[in-house]
Each structure stands twice: as structure tokens, then as C-alpha cells.
Amino acid sequence: MEIKSILLSLKQNKFMASIMVLQIAFTMAVLSLSVLLAAATLKEWNLPSGIPHDDIIRVTPRFYDPNMNVAAAVQHDLQRLQAIDGVQAVSPTDQVPFAAEVVRDVYLSVEEEAQSYKTNIFSADEKLLKVLDLTLIAGRAFTFSDVIADPDAKNSEVMISQSMAKALFDNGNALDKTVWLNKGSDPVKIVGIYSDFMNGETLNYFGKSYQTMILPRSSWQFAAEPHYLLRMTPGLAVQKLEDIATVFYQEQGRYLAVYERLSRIQKRMYDGRGSRALTFLVISLVLVLITSFGIAGFTSFQVNQRRKQIGIRRALGGRKSDIMAYFLTENSIITFAGLLLGTVVTLFFSFELSTMEQQNILDLVLLMVIALLLWFINVVAVWLPGRRAVKVPPAIVTRGS
Amino acid sequence: MLKMENVSKIYRTELIETHALRKVDLHIKAGEFVAITGPSGSGKTTFLNLAGLLETFEEGDYYLDGENVRGMNDNQLSDLRNEKIGFIFQSFNLLADLPLYQNIEVPLRYRGLSQADRKQRVEQALETVGLASRAKHLPTQLSGGQQQRVAIARAIAGEPKFLLADEPTGNLDSLMAQQVMELLEKINQSGTTIIMVTHDDKLARRAHRNIQIFDGQVSDLEYSVADDIVKRA
Ligand SMILES: Nc1ncnc2c1ncn2[C@@H]1O[C@H](COP(=O)(O)OP(=O)(O)OP(=O)(O)O)[C@@H](O)[C@H]1O
Ligand SMILES: [Mg+2]
């Protein structure tokens, strides 16, 4: 291969060549970051929920009267809901499975540099385990007397999920250990461990779908509105939805903002996820398309610029395949440089992401597949205008133009 | 040697047919230095293009170094050009992006010669044309005469049997034209057959043999010494 002479010739066309290298590098970086993010997004796709989500209803009332005693109203609502035929258990919570978005950092020590662990903390009463049909794995479950109603009082005990226990203590025993709910403050003792359930979009995205904690707490005030979770007799959830809504038509000071089965929230969570991944991929594909047109255009331009040169090479004994090989090699050099640069940029950003977001999206195999794909696209984008190059008649050398 | 029998070339465009060459019968022997003259548009370049396998023809037979080239495919023609023929053009036709060394190397690469072999031949050729010290220069850094000498170096580096030159001195002043002509004569003396199209009668007369093309027809011209004397007077 005449790589050296191609390099010498590229030296004379530095500007164009560097622009192509930059364009390919940019495409490589954006494409691989998008694909890596999309892959990370889809990795945690459709995991088991850990709860009978078809039989659980979420009801979210909105209280609009600031003078109202919300805590009392919540108690009243819970009683009325409990009375509906088909409702097996009701619990007020501050977060809803599949939609828990308040991500908290908890710690295992008070030190300044203590490692943080991500989790969703569900404040609820003692019935949450029953509503979600969670299994007690170790320790004890909360009872009515554990639930704190005083907004100023602090919890001293917590239950955590199995995955949370593993995240915090690996395989060690979590029971009776202390966790700090804030940096250097709010220590609570782990008294029970329950089976896993899906928390919400954010932690799911980071591969921490099942890291949850339950605080026995029902201190509802005007600013902190609860959701009610209702466990229904299997199969009755859909048909009872309207009965549940009716309860709220008759109540003062609140209206029904949302009522739906958890299966719908689950669907929404993954739908949003899917369309985000799709958006990444579509943007990338458009970019790849633009780049391949760019390369085809560049080669096309080069072919027009170098008709005479091509003719000279043909006159000197170059076969048509030599001409094609020339353009392919030249572009491969440019592409290789671009891919190299793009990979460096990708590595840099995924490293940044991994330190910033504690998320490792890097997948070297995927990166190589993308590089190969881009190289292949390049070959095609060169080959098409290259066919025009090989048709340049050698007689051009004596006839001009 | 080079032998054409009954070769015709017709250019067809939408409007007209041009009979650029009509039934050419010609035999050029190995080692000859042939000058071709003729009015503009008479078919000189066409003849050179056919002889150099840059264009194909519809009628007749053409034997290059004993091989009939009619019906050869594109790859065979490319390989023959590479092995047997060196070209020199009026407009030099160097590859502007490449230093002299790489310019001269191009046909040697197409022939598949080894790196060492190429190096030896490139250096030898540069030596012959007196530009050994300029191997790394770009064509644009040279004068026209020097560029033409590079083109000659490129043409002879592969040691072809035939050198085809289309007005090699057309773009040069007379001093440089003189140098180029001397170079060609030197190359011819070492055994290479040269066919040169020129408008310059004085240069033509330095060749062994003069051929005139007139309206697509080829004929030998005999200069007598008397002619020369008349012209000089
Ligand atoms: N590609 C072509 N298509 C159509 N006609 C052509 C083509 N090339 C040459 N001709 C015609 O063929 C004839 C011979 O052209 P050629 O170039 O051989 O002349 P020439 O003797 O080299 O002239 P000059 O001295 O001006 O270079 C001319 O009439 C020219 O117009
Ligand atoms: Mg001509």
C-alpha cells in the first residue's frame, strides 16, 4: 500500500483532511455515547417488580385547604377506603413504587468522607408490607406502635430491602446495624429486612432498582401529601376503581388527582425509558447519515478535483482497482484517525460520567462494534463516488480537463 | 517495435463524426527516434493516444512489441502501458501533491517492484535527468524545464521500450527545450524507441525519421540536405 505517499499527499490537503477527521471523531463520540447510554438505559428494562402490581391501586388526593387538618383527613380517607368491598389493606406512603423519584444518600458512619449509598426511603405505616405483599426475610416487621405521627419526632428504626442490605453490607449481617439517613446525622437501626420491590425510574437507571428503605412514619401535613396504596382482592382492581373515586367526590377540602393501578405506572416508567433510548438512537442515526453523506461528498469532491491525477495514474499503468484502492486507503487513514480521536473522547466522557454519576456505561465490545460499523459505512461512502473515479479515461492526460 | 495495420479512429459526438485517423499503416523499428509533425487538429495526439494504449480504436490491428493489443481488456492494457511505455506530456502532468521521489515511484509501484528496487531506479532516473538533489521537492518548487525533466525521469524509471512524447517542449523556452531534447537523444542512444510529436521543425529534424500526419493520414517525410540549406538561407 502506498500509505506513505498518501500521507504526503494528505499533508498538502491538511485542512480538508482535518475537517473530515473531526467530523468522524464527532460522529464516533456522539454515536458511541448515545449507544452506550441507550444500552445502559435498556439494560434494566422490564425487571420483575417484586409486588402484585396488577392488584395494587395508587390513589393520590390533593388537599387544597391550608387550614385543614391533613393528618386527620388522611386517617378518615384510609378508613373509608378500607371499608370498600375488595380492599384488603391500605397504607399511606410518600412515594409510589415505579415512581419513587426522591433519591437519598445514606451512610454507614459519621465520618466526613463516609461512602454514600443511594436509596429510596418510603415513609409509610405498618401496613405497607401487607399492601405490597412483601416477605419478611429477617428481623421483625413494624407494628402500629412503631409508626411515628409527630412531625417533630425522629425515627430510630428502619427496615431495608434485601438488595439494600447487600449494597450496604455485602453478604454480612445487616440486622441491628446503624445507618445514617443524612451525612453525620439521623442514625437509625435496621430492625427488619424484606423482599425486594422496584423503586423507581432514577435508581432503576443506575442499576439499583431494588434499593429501598421503609420508615414507620405517618406525619402528614399540608405540604407533605400522601399517596394511598390499596391492595385489592386479585382480579377486582379494575372494577373497583370507580367506587374508590366516588369516595372522594363526597369529601371536602381535597380532590382526587390520580387513581390508577400500579401496572400502569410500571408501563409508563418503561415507556418513557424506551422512548428516551430511541431518541438517542435516532439522533445518532441521523448523525451517521450526515457523516456518511459528508464522506461521500468529500470523496466526490476529491474525485472531481483529481480527475487529471487519476488519469495520470491510469496512464502510468494504474489499474481501475488501484484507483479505487487509493481512495479507500486514503479514506481509511482519515477514518482511522477520526475513530481513534472519537474513541478517546468517548472514553473521557464515560469516565467523567462514571465518576460524576457513579454509573459505568463503558462497554468496550460495543465501542469496537460501533467503530467497525462506522468504518464499514465509510467504505461504502467512498466506494460509491469511487466508481466514478475509476471511469476517468486515461486519455484525459493528453486532452486536458 | 511498433506496428499498425489499417488502424482507424473515429470520434463520434452527437453532431459530427471526426475521422481522426484514417487507415494508418506504420512500422516503427526498435531504437528509432521518430518525430511527428502536422497541422493542428490533424490527429497527432490521437495517434499517440492509440500508440500509448490510452484510447482504443475500432478498426485495424496494432502490434506493440509483437503483441496484438486489439481486444485486450482494461487491466491488460494498464499493465502493458506500465511495462512498455513511458509518457511525456506538454503540460508535464506531475502529481502536484507528491514530492519528486514519490512521483517517479508511482509507475514502479504499479509494477509491484520491491522497495529497494524502486529506490534504486528512482535515484538512477533522477541522476540521469540531473535532479538527484531535489528528490524531496514538490513539483511546484521547480521550473518548467526541471518539471519536464522529472516527467522524463518518471517515464524512464521503469525502463520502458517506448517513450511517447506529445510536444514535450511546447511549454518551454528554447534553452530548456534544448536541454530536454538533448536528454531525449541521450535516452534514445541507450536503446529506447522514442516517438515525439512536435511543432518545432528544427527539433523534428534532429530525429532519425520524420512522419507527417495530415488530416488523419500518416506519411513519411524525407528531408534532403538541399531542403535544409534552402530553409537556413
Ligand atoms: N475526444 C474527442 N471527441 C471528439 N473529437 C475529438 C476528440 N479528441 C480529438 N478529437 C478531434 O480529432 C481530431 C484530431 O485531434 P488531435 O488532438 O489528435 O489533433 P492534434 O494533431 O494533436 O492537434 P494539436 O496540434 O492541436 O494538438 C480533431 O479534429 C479533434 O477535434
Ligand atoms: Mg495534440
Side-chain angles (χ1 to χ4, degrees):
Chain A
M1 267 298 129
E2 37 188 337
I3 290 181
K4 187 182 172 201
S5 66
I6 290 177
L7 284 176
L8 283 169
S9 150
L10 282 177
K11 217 169 107 190
Q12 303 300 313
N13 296 294
K14 272 191 224 99
F15 181 69
M16 280 293 249
S18 354
I19 285 186
M20 286 313 294
V21 168
L22 286 181
Q23 184 174 357
I24 292 167
F26 181 72
T27 309
M28 173 72 192
V30 173
L31 182 65
S32 23
L33 284 171
S34 306
V35 170
L36 288 176
L37 281 172
T41 303
L42 295 178
K43 202 163 63 193
E44 305 295 324
W45 178 265
N46 268 347
L47 294 178
S49 69
I51 52 178
H53 47 259
D54 282 331
D55 299 320
I56 300 172
I57 289 174
R58 160 270 186 103
V59 172
T60 302
R62 193 128 307 152
F63 297 87
Y64 53 81
D65 181 356
N67 298 319
M68 187 172 201
N69 180 346
V70 173
V74 168
Q75 281 315 308
H76 177 71
D77 288 346
L78 293 176
Q79 276 162 24
R80 289 203 61 186
L81 291 168
Q82 181 71 67
I84 295 172
D85 196 28
V87 174
Q88 294 183 342
V90 188
S91 180
T93 67
D94 62 344
Q95 304 209 60
V96 179
F98 306 116
E101 291 309 325
V102 184
V103 175
R104 295 271 299 266
D105 285 308
V106 299
Y107 305 85
L108 285 180
S109 66
V110 289
E111 290 146 32
E112 184 54 36
E113 63 277 9
Q115 191 196 336
S116 70
Y117 298 87
K118 303 253 177 236
T119 190
N120 289 123
I121 301 179
F122 286 65
S123 291
D125 68 11
E126 79 285 0
K127 300 205 196 72
L128 185 63
L129 255 63
K130 184 168 184 223
V131 169
L132 296 181
D133 199 24
L134 301 175
T135 315
L136 184 68
I137 289 171
R140 66 176 184 88
F142 291 125
T143 62
F144 176 72
S145 60
D146 292 316
V147 180
I148 291 180
D150 176 0
D152 296 324
K154 290 197 164 178
N155 285 85
S156 60
E157 293 176 336
V158 72
M159 289 181 78
I160 67 175
S161 68
Q162 210 175 358
S163 289
M164 194 68 217
K166 185 152 180 9
L168 290 173
F169 302 102
D170 207 6
N171 286 323
N173 186 15
L175 277 188
D176 295 330
K177 299 272 167 52
T178 300
V179 181
W180 279 262
L181 299 185
N182 284 299
K183 191 152 209 166
S185 64
D186 302 323
V188 287
K189 196 169 84 176
I190 299 166
V191 299
I193 298 171
Y194 53 84
S195 60
D196 284 336
F197 69 94
M198 172 63 65
N199 43 24
E201 174 132 30
T202 310
L203 286 185
N204 167 263
Y205 181 70
F206 291 114
K208 295 170 178 164
S209 301
Y210 300 116
Q211 296 191 10
T212 59
M213 295 183 152
I214 298 176
L215 272 187
R217 190 172 184 87
S218 67
S219 55
W220 309 111
Q221 291 166 292
F222 183 68
E225 293 170 349
H227 309 277
Y228 307 143
L229 296 181
L230 288 70
R231 172 75 191 286
M232 306 300 295
T233 305
L236 284 187
V238 177
Q239 113 191 36
K240 290 291 175 187
L241 267 177
E242 287 317 306
D243 292 352
I244 290 161
T246 314
V247 167
F248 289 87
Y249 288 137
Q250 299 152 0
E251 296 294 346
Q252 300 291 312
R254 77 209 73 160
Y255 65 90
L256 187 51
V258 189
Y259 61 106
E260 62 191 350
R261 287 193 301 159
L262 289 197
S263 38
R264 247 179 73 177
I265 312 180
Q266 185 190 36
K267 181 170 185 307
R268 222 160 41 227
M269 163 178 162
Y270 290 120
D271 281 356
R273 176 68 53 87
S275 55
R276 202 179 327 145
L278 199 70
T279 312
F280 279 140
L281 290 179
V282 167
I283 291 174
S284 310
L285 283 183
V286 169
L287 191 70
V288 169
L289 219 64
I290 292 173
T291 301
S292 41
F293 278 117
I295 291 157
F298 173 72
T299 311
S300 205
F301 175 78
Q302 292 286 333
V303 169
N304 289 340
Q305 288 278 301
R306 301 193 197 158
R307 280 176 63 79
K308 191 68 174 260
Q309 254 202 54
I310 296 165
I312 295 170
R313 287 176 175 276
R314 295 279 283 125
L316 295 176
R319 292 178 170 200
K320 288 182 172 177
S321 53
D322 291 320
I323 303 301
M324 187 61 101
Y326 182 92
F327 280 100
L328 285 175
T329 311
E330 182 183 68
N331 257 274
S332 290
I333 291 172
I334 290 176
T335 305
F336 185 74
L339 291 182
L340 214 62
L341 187 62
T343 305
V344 170
V345 173
T346 307
L347 290 177
F348 174 78
F349 276 109
S350 33
F351 182 72
E352 283 289 291
L353 259 175
S354 72
T355 48
M356 239 166 48
E357 307 243 12
Q358 299 185 357
Q359 182 194 18
N360 189 16
I361 60 166
L362 196 58
D363 181 340
L364 286 177
V365 176
L366 206 57
L367 219 57
M368 263 165 65
V369 170
I370 292 168
L372 272 177
L373 175 85
L374 281 181
W375 190 78
F376 176 75
I377 289 173
N378 260 280
V379 169
V380 175
V382 174
W383 188 73
L384 293 176
R387 284 187 317 178
R388 222 155 28 80
V390 306
K391 285 191 192 132
V392 172
I396 194 174
V397 290
T398 54
R399 300 281 185 208
S401 81
Chain B
M1 40 84 213
L2 179 158
K3 198 164 139 196
M4 287 189 181
E5 287 174 358
N6 227 356
V7 169
S8 294
K9 174 73 185 175
I10 302 171
Y11 290 112
R12 291 191 173 84
T13 59
E14 283 159 32
L15 295 175
I16 45 162
E17 280 190 357
T18 310
H19 290 258
L21 285 180
R22 302 167 195 264
K23 296 190 183 302
V24 173
D25 280 305
L26 188 68
H27 187 184
I28 293 172
K29 290 190 277 298
E32 276 192 294
F33 192 143
V34 180
I36 298 180
T37 52
S40 186
S42 58
K44 304 181 296 295
T45 297
T46 307
F47 170 77
L48 225 52
N49 279 355
L50 295 200
L53 310 175
L54 297 174
E55 283 181 288
T56 53
F57 50 93
E58 295 77 27
E59 270 175 61
D61 289 295
Y62 169 28
Y63 300 87
L64 179 68
D65 203 21
E67 266 185 287
N68 193 345
V69 302
R70 201 171 70 172
M72 280 190 175
N73 67 28
D74 195 82
N75 282 350
Q76 290 171 312
L77 292 175
S78 301
D79 294 352
L80 263 189
R81 274 200 299 274
N82 181 266
E83 261 174 64
K84 312 250 178 195
I85 301 166
F87 291 99
I88 302 162
F89 309 99
Q90 180 175 358
S91 55
F92 320 139
N93 280 342
L94 295 173
L95 299 168
D97 294 341
L98 294 183
L100 307 191
Y101 185 99
Q102 277 72 19
N103 256 285
I104 298 169
E105 209 183 13
V106 169
L108 306 178
R109 279 180 181 280
Y110 289 143
R111 200 182 290 184
L113 298 181
S114 72
Q115 156 103 34
D117 206 354
R118 294 199 305 261
K119 186 168 179 328
Q120 191 256 319
R121 282 170 185 252
V122 171
E123 279 166 3
Q124 168 75 53
L126 275 171
E127 190 72 44
T128 306
V129 301
L131 290 169
S133 60
R134 304 279 199 132
K136 289 193 169 141
H137 287 215
L138 286 169
T140 47
Q141 294 169 320
L142 302 182
S143 74
Q146 288 170 326
Q147 288 188 44
Q148 193 60 302
R149 273 147 61 195
V150 176
I152 293 172
R154 186 176 65 184
I156 61 171
E159 294 175 359
K161 290 220 160 109
F162 302 91
L163 215 54
L164 305 185
D166 196 354
E167 297 183 35
T169 58
N171 282 356
L172 304 177
D173 65 32
S174 59
L175 183 66
M176 288 196 175
Q178 189 65 27
Q179 285 178 356
V180 164
M181 190 62 194
E182 275 161 19
L183 196 51
L184 290 178
E185 282 170 336
K186 192 170 108 191
I187 292 163
N188 174 248
Q189 272 151 29
S190 67
T192 311
T193 311
I194 297 184
I195 304 169
M196 175 181 78
V197 169
T198 182
H199 276 123
D200 185 332
D201 278 346
K202 269 201 285 202
L203 289 185
R205 253 173 248 192
R206 287 166 66 163
H208 303 159
R209 182 176 168 191
N210 273 235
I211 290 175
Q212 194 183 40
I213 301 188
F214 196 87
D215 194 19
Q217 283 172 322
V218 174
S219 56
D220 268 281
L221 255 186
E222 299 298 338
Y223 283 107
S224 65
V225 180
D227 273 350
D228 271 8
I229 292 167
V230 171
K231 282 250 168 78
R232 271 187 214 131

